[in-house]
Amino acid sequence: MRFPGVLFLALVLYGHAAASPHTDYMLRCMGCHLPDGAETPGKVPPLKDHVAKFLAAKGGRAYLVQVPGTRQSALSNAAVADLLNWLVRNFDAVDVPANFTPYTEGEVAALRSHRLHDVAAERARLIKSLPKGN
């Protein structure tokens, strides 16, 4: 009778490994960032119409990987890269730079090894450094 349990576990693990970035967002990000990437005023900043803007700021690309929810996620580096690429294209396609290079597993691995000490201050610095009109 152990076979059904093993089969179930295998299916769960396979299903997780095959999860899409959208599914990963729904399971791991949506609780705070809401289904449409909106903000929770005073608590969680918006992704919608904002996330890709950070790609125009020096250090913004790294910031998106190093925010605690991303950096500390249980997702693999490859899954985080896929999720970030999905986020910028689905929540802020208008602001994706023409020269945008998708995140890679290796880049995410390297960036995740660095912790932001003051996330709010770094976000404020990045927003201040954005080109006018962003």
Side-chain angles (χ1 to χ4, degrees), residues 13-130:
L13 292 175
Y14 174 77
H16 176 70
S20 70
H22 182 248
T23 300
D24 284 336
Y25 179 81
M26 290 188 317
L27 294 173
R28 299 176 183 277
C29 310
M30 185 175 74
C32 294
H33 288 285
L34 307 177
D36 65 350
E39 73 178 310
T40 303
K43 295 182 181 182
V44 179
L47 297 172
K48 185 170 180 57
D49 302 327
H50 287 85
V51 67
K53 288 178 172 69
F54 287 99
L55 299 171
K58 182 176 179 170
R61 186 176 175 94
Y63 169 81
L64 294 177
V65 176
Q66 294 166 343
V67 293
T70 306
R71 183 179 173 274
Q72 297 170 1
S73 168
L75 291 173
S76 70
N77 293 323
V80 168
D82 290 344
L83 178 58
L84 287 169
N85 294 327
W86 180 87
L87 281 172
V88 299
R89 289 190 174 112
N90 285 276
F91 284 137
D92 196 15
V94 170
D95 293 308
V96 175
N99 64 348
F100 174 68
T101 303
Y103 284 94
T104 65
E105 178 180 5
E107 177 185 19
V108 168
L111 291 172
R112 275 176 119 177
S113 68
H114 300 283
R115 180 177 165 264
L116 291 174
H117 295 284
D118 189 339
V119 178
E122 180 63 5
R123 180 179 176 80
R125 182 194 71 76
L126 290 168
I127 289 171
K128 188 176 179 180
S129 76
L130 288 172

